[in-house]
Amino acid sequence: MAAIPNPNPGNATNANNGNAATAVAATIRTMVVCVADELPSEALSSRQLDRHLGVHGSLQARFWAKGTLHLWQRRSMIDLRKGRPAYCAGGPARLLDLTGMRHAAGMGAGIRHQWWQRAVHGTKPANPWPVYEARHLADPAKYPLDKASADFWNQPRVNAMRMHNALYSGAPLALAELEMYQAGQMAYQHYSASTAIVGDALLTLDGNQLAPASDTMAHRVTFLEQANRYLGTLDDAQRLVAVTL
């Protein structure tokens, strides 16, 4: 999600130095890659991702392996860890507990949204950071980054979330997900469940990268629709691998 500047205006800098605005790119931290059949599992190591997949990053133990794995099936998994659930960086879709991941992510999101509702009770809806970022990039000279940052951080709802995070650091409310929280509990649960499977971007078998056009909720939802629809067309033998960029 969006990289929000430090709340201290003195630490904010204008990256554009008054030059023409550039597009507000989406924040991509995790990519799910559809791996071609001909690529051996042995080639899927963090040191060879760039060579074989064209991706600069490292393996991420994001997926859950099914609890019914046989010993011989474990050889098909990528970076399989111990535990229940057993995390892994990927493997054939039929051996990944994608349904369990969606369910757990949705349940966790429901609990977080209840905390969020209590934390921001009585505050007005706030503008998410991409609104201020886009305004800054449209005219950096008239609306510098430190002003955009201050306007975002000075919103009562944003500060209510910060107060929650200050007291409950073990269960933080992500400020980058402000727009998703404000869409309602069910919307936030669906967003979290979908994101658990496809991450921030998806690399298809033909090398096409599906990714949101920006960090706004509308663009994130469009990406999730496209990515989940694409995954639904794949054979259950298709290998998926998660990469941290």
Side-chain angles (χ1 to χ4, degrees), residues 53-158:
L53 301 178
V55 175
H56 297 278
S58 57
L59 293 175
Q60 179 187 126
R62 180 184 188 86
F63 292 109
W64 291 2
K66 285 189 174 179
T68 55
L69 281 183
H70 296 291
L71 185 61
W72 60 271
Q73 291 175 318
R74 291 176 174 271
R75 294 192 293 269
S76 300
M77 309 308 292
I78 302 167
D79 196 20
L80 180 63
R81 312 290 178 85
K82 295 181 179 180
R84 283 189 176 275
Y87 282 86
C88 63
R94 65 170 176 267
L95 301 182
L96 301 175
D97 188 5
L98 302 181
T99 299
M101 289 176 62
R102 288 191 182 99
H103 180 73
M107 290 292 290
I111 295 172
R112 287 195 304 278
H113 197 276
Q114 291 177 12
W115 293 339
W116 176 82
Q117 286 180 308
R118 290 195 291 267
V120 304
H121 181 71
T123 62
K124 295 180 180 180
N127 289 320
W129 168 246
V131 171
Y132 298 100
E133 184 180 30
R135 182 181 170 189
H136 158 67
L137 291 176
D139 196 339
K142 289 187 177 180
Y143 194 62
L145 185 59
D146 57 354
K147 173 61 174 171
S149 177
D151 286 348
F152 172 77
W153 290 110
N154 285 335
Q155 297 178 100
R157 176 159 290 189
V158 170

Side-chain angles (χ1 to χ4, degrees), residues 33-41 44 52-53 204-205 238-239:
V33 180
C34 299
V35 182
D37 292 339
E38 59 270 17
L39 187 65
S41 296
L44 297 176
H52 294 291
L53 301 178
T204 67
L205 279 172
Q238 174 61 52
R239 288 180 298 169

